[in-house]
Amino acid sequence: MTAIRSTQAAIVLHPSAELARFVSALQFKDIPEHVVRRCEDLFLDTMASILAGSTARAVKSMGKFGLLMGPQNGSSEDFVNRRLTSPLFAAMSNAASAHVVEQDDVHNGSVFHPAAVVFPPALAVAQAIGASGEEFITASVAGYEAGIRIGEFLGRSHYKIFHTTGTAGTVAAAVAVGRLLKLNTEQMLHAIGSAGTQAAGLWEFLRDAADSKQLHTAHAAASGLTSAYLAQDGFTGARRILEGLQGMAAGMSTDADPSKIVDRLGQRWALAETSFKFHASCRHTHPAADALQHAIRTHGLKATEISKVVTHVHQGAIDVLGPVTDPQTVHQSKFSMGTVLALIALRNSADLANFDSGLKDKAVAEFRDRVVMELDEEVDSAYPARWIGKVTVTTTDGRVVTGRVDEPKGDPGNTLSRAEIEQKALRLGTYLGASTEAEVKALIAKVWAIASEPALGRLL
Amino acid sequence: MTAIRSTQAAIVLHPSAELARFVSALQFKDIPEHVVRRCEDLFLDTMASILAGSTARAVKSMGKFGLLMGPQNGSSEDFVNRRLTSPLFAAMSNAASAHVVEQDDVHNGSVFHPAAVVFPPALAVAQAIGASGEEFITASVAGYEAGIRIGEFLGRSHYKIFHTTGTAGTVAAAVAVGRLLKLNTEQMLHAIGSAGTQAAGLWEFLRDAADSKQLHTAHAAASGLTSAYLAQDGFTGARRILEGLQGMAAGMSTDADPSKIVDRLGQRWALAETSFKFHASCRHTHPAADALQHAIRTHGLKATEISKVVTHVHQGAIDVLGPVTDPQTVHQSKFSMGTVLALIALRNSADLANFDSGLKDKAVAEFRDRVVMELDEEVDSAYPARWIGKVTVTTTDGRVVTGRVDEPKGDPGNTLSRAEIEQKALRLGTYLGASTEAEVKALIAKVWAIASEPALGRLL
């Protein structure tokens, strides 16, 4: 039992209420230092993703919508329009931008991208109310802890149809903003209720390479933020929106496990389990990409020597990547297992620039068609707790070799150093001229010092 | 085949695309005059509901959120704050307000309240862009036709967990706004895709009498409006968000029928099938209320003579009203079958004022406990196409009598006259001093003349 829980241990709460109590009571001093440091790492990584995405067409559309509907002033930075506005529109722009280059973090067990839905609303509100760096970090940790557990709770059946980052993300955003607004337990429960009843996001868009992923994060950030502000004003929500008979799991999952909602709150820090993305593609491609790299290095293979790659994957990879057989856009190509492995084999890098130039590259397209996915029992049973990568490579001269990784690059056991995070931030922050190297360097310095900031101001 | 469809009859489209083509091509001249007149009726009825709801606590919270996040000026009327703002915040305020007094319209077959999610965003955008009355009506009709068919498509399994007004409503709002923005078929399909992937709304809140119903309509209006503006700017959505393998029905229904999406487009006018609400309660209570009134009148009963009322209902009534056994708020009491029948028996009226004074009335509470719901095969099979009301009343002296209605008051076959609509508008518009009688009368005159308005301006 944690200190927070044991003080009221006599009261037995249902899972949503227990979660609300934990996140509303969470204090900076309760958070272990390595979690605080990892939170800073993840925040910088997210800022870099926001900058890298800020020139994308779909993200610009979201920014324009904010210009049309929002106020012309405020204290919250909208990094897409590079202006100050109200928290709602800053959160929407930045959340849309955070996810588009597919370089933001992911939590394996929940298959959930917390950064894109937690940091944008938390930052926008922290800037609006002048919250301290400690408060911002506490709120962000609360958002991660809630969102990841809700993603785990909703389970694999949910993820087959629903984009967990959109659904669980709405609640995560509400929790982060609610903590900044210092909601009490009762208000926080209402914020969670209002967020859960707005939770949305369907995978159908993948088939058409549509822009919905950016909409899902913007929607989660906006709806979550709205829920927290409404709760602060007394607006009420369902008390059991997660586990109730007509709640999220009832409507959108067949394998939900309510015990996950409160799994070791205060003891287990799910934020620290979150992985950085090294390749600029859908996370489902990363284990196979690293396994192929392993096979290539181990056996000294050249791309031209490879006649076939079988990737042994979990069902979720097939569900998400399966529909993408002939990618038409750069964004869609990040969901093409064949394209990702082609870039690894041909260029030894699946970074942003290689995806841009790879889309029309005939060699990439040819290699892509040599890649197949097969459901693998070992990989599928380990998933989503562990994302094992396994490939079987057949060479043009008939050899059959294998490659394997047990933790893809960026996972907690194979994480990025601060130097690697800074390098990635510089690469992403200056992508397509989104910002200057000097701006990114100043941003890096501000983020590493954020915990001691008395009141959050502008970052750029 | 309609004129619109036959010109391109050679092209076979999937249901979402056929719907997009119909609503984007719909012209004022295509709409039969009786549908135009009914649309005006429904719009006045909605404006009255918006005014009546504008002083409610939860609605005020939504209004305050708009003041905090939105611009201080614009061309769209926010009737909650009584100010002009951008279309997004006007739509959110007014949509939240439209549904709170439970007097807005309902379409039986889809169990969907079109008014609350179609008119607020359509009006807000029409005012912002200076659309004509004809354009406003055309857009509203498009929203009704789309939303009702999507509600029917999603089916009864959807409605068991999801508030169809929130889910189908998001798409209906997108269609109405999309038509005002003159989206072409392709853009409209994207708007529908973006709206469908944001569709949300769970019934869980009913158990707690929470404010979520107001959030659902505001969310639908806001997300739908956002989707249409984004589509105008080139933002893309899934092409089969309704019927696709990872679309709305896949995630949120087990009995969806895609043929409903395009059911007799251009021939059948679903808007004209929409019912006005006469009692100020959840529509599921109306058939029984009218049936009880019928029994009381036929047999000359007094409330004190009634020892038991069995209402013979459809499963949907049990799902929605069943959890409400001891209503704690006026709003929740509108979902209490017992409370509604008590008001009918004791006061011969379940209007807004009677709900307000009835909550703490001991006689109402006592009568409430004499009412039970029982699933009835005839009523359940006819539903949702027909909402039959049947009650069996047992008197204190042991008599057993029955009451029955085949079309509750307000249904298309038992509709309100313009005089009755005006009376209802005056009653609602002046409820709790929301507006003056003079304001409502001026509003009535404007609505009856709206079709000839060259550019929509302020209504109040």
Side-chain angles (χ1 to χ4, degrees):
Chain A
M1 297 290 280
T2 70
I4 293 165
R5 287 169 70 205
S6 60
T7 57
Q8 301 183 45
I11 306 167
V12 177
L13 295 176
H14 59 278
S16 291
E18 196 173 332
L19 181 68
R21 185 168 66 182
F22 173 76
V23 293
S24 60
L26 184 67
Q27 299 297 322
F28 185 76
K29 63 176 170 48
D30 300 329
I31 307 170
E33 196 185 332
H34 77 277
V35 177
V36 171
R37 293 291 92 78
R38 184 61 62 87
C39 184
E40 294 163 353
D41 294 350
L42 295 167
F43 178 52
L44 175 59
D45 196 60
T46 309
M47 282 300 304
S49 276
I50 291 171
L51 295 176
S54 64
T55 62
R57 175 191 49 75
V59 174
K60 287 274 180 203
S61 285
M62 191 65 72
K64 273 194 232 172
F65 180 72
L67 292 178
L68 213 53
M69 299 293 161
Q72 301 306 311
N73 45 53
S75 307
S76 304
E77 276 177 297
D78 165 355
F79 299 109
V80 176
N81 291 307
R82 286 291 186 105
R83 62 151 187 167
L84 295 170
T85 182
S86 71
L88 181 69
F89 295 97
M92 284 178 80
S93 278
N94 300 342
S97 198
H99 207 39
V100 70
V101 297
E102 294 289 339
Q103 288 271 263
D104 53 315
D105 63 32
V106 61
H107 182 270
N108 288 344
S110 54
V111 204
F112 168 63
H113 299 278
V117 291
V118 167
F119 287 125
L123 178 66
V125 172
Q127 290 178 323
I129 66 176
S132 70
E134 289 193 353
E135 283 292 299
F136 169 70
I137 289 170
T138 307
S140 301
V141 172
Y144 268 71
E145 299 305 315
I148 290 168
R149 282 174 177 81
I150 294 166
E152 290 175 336
F153 154 68
L154 291 169
R156 292 178 69 166
S157 66
H158 179 72
Y159 189 76
K160 283 183 87 76
I161 308 274
F162 292 92
H163 183 197
T164 305
T165 300
T167 54
T170 306
V171 186
V175 164
V177 174
R179 180 60 192 78
L180 278 165
L181 298 180
K182 301 194 197 300
L183 300 187
N184 62 31
T185 298
E186 184 71 8
Q187 293 169 320
M188 186 66 88
L189 189 56
H190 291 309
I192 291 171
S194 290
T197 207
Q198 297 181 84
L202 294 158
W203 281 122
E204 181 62 27
F205 76 93
L206 281 184
R207 233 170 298 273
D208 306 310
D211 298 327
S212 310
K213 227 181 183 195
Q214 283 52 261
L215 183 58
H216 293 171
T217 50
H219 173 263
S223 301
L225 182 152
T226 303
S227 301
Y229 274 89
L230 288 174
Q232 189 185 33
D233 197 53
F235 194 96
T236 62
R239 308 182 78 84
R240 288 175 166 81
I241 199 64
L242 303 173
E243 72 276 36
L245 290 174
Q246 290 166 303
M248 282 178 76
M252 303 190 275
S253 172
T254 53
D255 65 342
D257 175 359
S259 73
K260 302 276 192 190
I261 298 171
V262 293
D263 179 41
R264 290 166 286 156
L265 285 171
Q267 295 178 301
R268 168 197 174 204
W269 296 94
L271 178 142
E273 303 162 2
T274 305
S275 304
F276 296 94
K277 283 174 88 171
F278 189 69
H279 309 295
S281 58
C282 174
R283 186 64 177 176
H284 290 296
T285 65
H286 291 209
D290 288 357
L292 179 62
Q293 216 157 23
H294 175 247
I296 287 172
R297 282 179 191 159
T298 307
H299 301 281
L301 299 175
K302 288 184 181 137
T304 48
E305 293 171 335
I306 296 173
S307 65
K308 186 177 179 188
V309 182
V310 178
T311 64
H312 307 283
V313 299
H314 53 281
Q315 184 61 44
I318 293 171
D319 294 341
V320 174
L321 311 173
V324 187
T325 50
D326 182 18
Q328 297 300 310
T329 65
V330 169
H331 186 259
Q332 198 179 31
S333 73
K334 294 171 180 176
F335 289 80
S336 155
M337 180 66 96
T339 302
V340 175
L341 296 206
L343 294 176
I344 293 293
L346 292 159
R347 306 176 179 198
N348 196 29
S349 166
D351 71 0
L352 289 177
N354 277 306
F355 274 104
D356 289 347
S357 58
L359 183 68
K360 302 286 178 196
D361 182 338
K362 274 191 185 169
V364 169
E366 278 166 23
F367 194 99
R368 189 186 69 216
D369 295 338
R370 284 177 244 154
V371 176
V372 294
M373 285 189 285
E374 282 182 10
L375 183 65
D376 184 88
E377 202 187 314
E378 182 201 6
V379 174
D380 195 57
S381 339
Y383 174 89
R386 292 189 304 128
W387 294 45
I388 300 169
K390 281 164 72 176
V391 297
T392 301
V393 180
T394 308
T395 63
T396 47
D397 59 2
R399 280 175 296 151
V400 176
V401 303
T402 60
R404 178 184 179 108
V405 290
D406 282 284
E407 281 203 87
K409 176 84 172 162
D411 263 19
N414 188 10
T415 194
L416 307 187
S417 66
R418 282 220 159 174
E420 286 176 312
I421 292 166
E422 290 186 7
Q423 282 156 23
K424 183 181 163 191
L426 277 163
R427 205 161 60 233
L428 265 62
T430 57
Y431 174 65
L432 301 182
S435 35
T436 65
E437 198 176 305
E439 282 177 315
V440 180
K441 283 183 172 167
L443 170 69
I444 291 170
K446 280 190 181 170
V447 173
W448 293 155
I450 202 164
S452 56
E453 192 63 53
L456 247 63
R458 298 179 67 159
L459 293 178
L460 282 194
Chain B
M1 298 289 280
T2 70
I4 294 166
R5 286 169 72 202
S6 62
T7 56
Q8 300 183 48
I11 307 168
V12 177
L13 296 176
H14 60 277
S16 290
E18 195 172 331
L19 181 68
R21 185 167 67 183
F22 173 76
V23 292
S24 59
L26 184 66
Q27 299 297 323
F28 184 77
K29 64 178 170 43
D30 300 328
I31 306 169
E33 195 185 331
H34 77 277
V35 177
V36 171
R37 293 290 92 78
R38 184 60 62 88
C39 184
E40 294 162 354
D41 294 350
L42 295 167
F43 178 52
L44 176 59
D45 195 59
T46 309
M47 281 300 305
S49 277
I50 292 172
L51 295 177
S54 64
T55 63
R57 175 190 49 77
V59 174
K60 287 276 180 200
S61 284
M62 190 67 71
K64 274 193 231 171
F65 180 73
L67 292 178
L68 211 54
M69 299 293 161
Q72 301 306 314
N73 45 53
S75 307
S76 305
E77 277 177 296
D78 165 354
F79 299 110
V80 176
N81 291 307
R82 285 291 186 107
R83 63 151 188 169
L84 295 171
T85 182
S86 72
L88 180 69
F89 294 97
M92 283 177 80
S93 279
N94 300 341
S97 197
H99 208 38
V100 70
V101 298
E102 295 288 339
Q103 288 271 263
D104 53 315
D105 64 31
V106 61
H107 182 270
N108 288 345
S110 54
V111 204
F112 169 62
H113 299 279
V117 291
V118 167
F119 286 125
L123 178 65
V125 173
Q127 290 178 324
I129 65 176
S132 71
E134 288 192 353
E135 284 291 298
F136 169 70
I137 288 170
T138 306
S140 301
V141 172
Y144 268 71
E145 298 305 314
I148 289 168
R149 283 174 177 80
I150 293 165
E152 290 174 336
F153 153 68
L154 290 169
R156 291 177 71 167
S157 65
H158 179 73
Y159 188 76
K160 282 182 88 77
I161 308 275
F162 292 93
H163 183 196
T164 305
T165 300
T167 54
T170 306
V171 186
V175 164
V177 174
R179 180 61 191 78
L180 278 165
L181 298 179
K182 300 194 198 302
L183 300 187
N184 63 32
T185 297
E186 184 72 6
Q187 293 169 319
M188 187 65 88
L189 190 55
H190 290 310
I192 291 172
S194 290
T197 207
Q198 296 181 86
L202 294 158
W203 281 123
E204 180 61 27
F205 76 92
L206 282 184
R207 231 169 300 273
D208 306 310
D211 299 326
S212 310
K213 225 181 185 194
Q214 283 52 261
L215 183 59
H216 293 172
T217 50
H219 173 262
S223 300
L225 182 151
T226 303
S227 301
Y229 274 88
L230 288 174
Q232 189 185 34
D233 196 54
F235 194 97
T236 62
R239 308 182 79 84
R240 287 175 168 81
I241 198 64
L242 303 173
E243 72 277 37
L245 291 174
Q246 290 167 301
M248 282 178 75
M252 303 189 275
S253 172
T254 54
D255 66 342
D257 175 359
S259 73
K260 302 277 191 188
I261 298 172
V262 293
D263 179 41
R264 290 165 288 156
L265 285 171
Q267 294 178 302
R268 167 196 174 204
W269 296 94
L271 178 142
E273 302 162 1
T274 305
S275 303
F276 295 94
K277 281 174 90 171
F278 189 69
H279 309 296
S281 58
C282 174
R283 186 64 177 179
H284 290 297
T285 66
H286 290 211
D290 287 357
L292 178 62
Q293 214 156 26
H294 174 247
I296 286 172
R297 282 179 192 159
T298 308
H299 299 283
L301 299 176
K302 288 184 182 136
T304 48
E305 293 171 334
I306 296 174
S307 64
K308 186 177 179 189
V309 183
V310 178
T311 63
H312 307 281
V313 299
H314 53 281
Q315 184 62 44
I318 293 170
D319 294 341
V320 173
L321 310 174
V324 186
T325 50
D326 182 21
Q328 296 300 312
T329 66
V330 169
H331 186 259
Q332 198 179 30
S333 73
K334 295 172 180 176
F335 289 81
S336 155
M337 181 66 97
T339 303
V340 175
L341 296 207
L343 294 176
I344 293 294
L346 292 159
R347 307 175 178 198
N348 195 29
S349 165
D351 71 0
L352 291 177
N354 277 305
F355 274 104
D356 288 348
S357 58
L359 183 67
K360 303 284 177 196
D361 182 337
K362 275 191 186 168
V364 169
E366 279 165 20
F367 194 98
R368 190 186 68 216
D369 295 338
R370 285 176 241 155
V371 176
V372 295
M373 285 189 284
E374 282 181 11
L375 183 66
D376 183 90
E377 202 187 313
E378 183 203 7
V379 174
D380 195 57
S381 341
Y383 174 90
R386 292 191 303 128
W387 294 45
I388 300 169
K390 280 164 72 174
V391 296
T392 302
V393 180
T394 307
T395 61
T396 46
D397 59 1
R399 279 175 295 153
V400 176
V401 303
T402 60
R404 178 184 179 109
V405 290
D406 282 282
E407 281 202 88
K409 177 84 173 165
D411 262 19
N414 188 10
T415 196
L416 307 187
S417 66
R418 282 220 158 173
E420 285 176 313
I421 293 166
E422 291 186 7
Q423 282 157 22
K424 183 180 164 192
L426 277 162
R427 207 162 57 233
L428 265 63
T430 57
Y431 175 64
L432 300 183
S435 35
T436 65
E437 197 175 308
E439 281 178 314
V440 180
K441 283 184 171 167
L443 171 70
I444 291 170
K446 280 191 182 171
V447 173
W448 294 155
I450 202 163
S452 56
E453 193 63 53
L456 248 61
R458 299 179 67 159
L459 293 178
L460 279 196

